[in-house]
Amino acid sequence: MPDLIKTALITGGSRGIGRACAIRLAKSGYQVFVTYVSRPEPAFETCKIIEEAGGQASSFALDIGDHQAIVDFFKEKIKDRVFLSVLVNNAGSTMDGLLVRMGQEQWEKVLRVNLSGSFFCLQQAAKIMMRQKTGRIINITSVTAQSGNPGQANYTAAKAGLMGLTRTAALELAPRNITVNAVAPGFIETDMTAALNQEVRERYLEMIPLKRFGYPEDVAESVAFLASPGGAYITGQILGVNGGMYM
Ligand code: NAP
């Protein structure tokens, strides 16, 4: 498929870590597609930043908690329209609470978005990349999946599931020349962590050997490496980007 434009799809690429990945992958020369769920403005802003730097970017609304929406999106926007070089499964959300008080929807929604949504995007991307005979898939998980985190039973279970999915998908897709890896960020300065109070932030900071929180760009550099020619022989790996923190 030589005529199609090499494209990197970043779910939740409108802000935070996803935005940094989009900007960085655009610098690597990919056309980037960023998705959001409910807030179009940050997505437009991400595309504007990329276009002003000479890159190509488009944004799309896509709720990854909706299986049919994922199927439709890949059919209408990706398949036979672009060369899908990279999928960054970045979209994620939290609904924290202690496990004894966690409601069914609170549990299921976080699993649906962070784990099932990432799986269905990976599944759709894999079908396309198998026909292309090449592709890179990078799942964004979390250090908390390795350490556990009080108040995040749903989120840590979903992100740990994503690690198992990464390893299995890597084994299944390696014969098709598709690599699948995960990046596990520690505490990164984004809207997701901005909600934490000062006391919690200081507690986390004490646990980070490099003595600073991470920036979205720190994560984006690792993602860009895994997508680059230098990452060609790496698959099934979980790369921690956490300042040395394992809580
Ligand atoms: P963020 O700033 O809260 O941005 C989340 C992005 O995901 C937004 O683009 C949001 O779209 C989108 N999104 C949320 N729910 C979605 C859904 N149901 N369907 C599609 N898109 C959805 O998050 P972030 O901090 O950059 O985190 C990005 C990823 O890194 C997540 O998977 C997160 O779990 C992981 N992570 C973050 C940290 C951290 O310290 N920040 C640490 C470890 C792992 P809207 O703008 O429309 O809401």
Side-chain angles (χ1 to χ4, degrees), residues 12 14-17 35-39 62-65 90-93 113 140-142 155 159 185-188 190-193:
S14 58
R15 52 195 173 89
I17 290 170
T35 72
Y36 59 94
V37 63
S38 59
R39 297 166 53 176
L62 171 64
D63 180 359
I64 65 158
N90 165 79
S93 61
V113 170
I140 306 298
T141 172
S142 172
Y155 179 78
K159 292 297 193 183
F187 189 110
I188 309 296
T190 69
D191 295 343
M192 191 179 268
T193 45

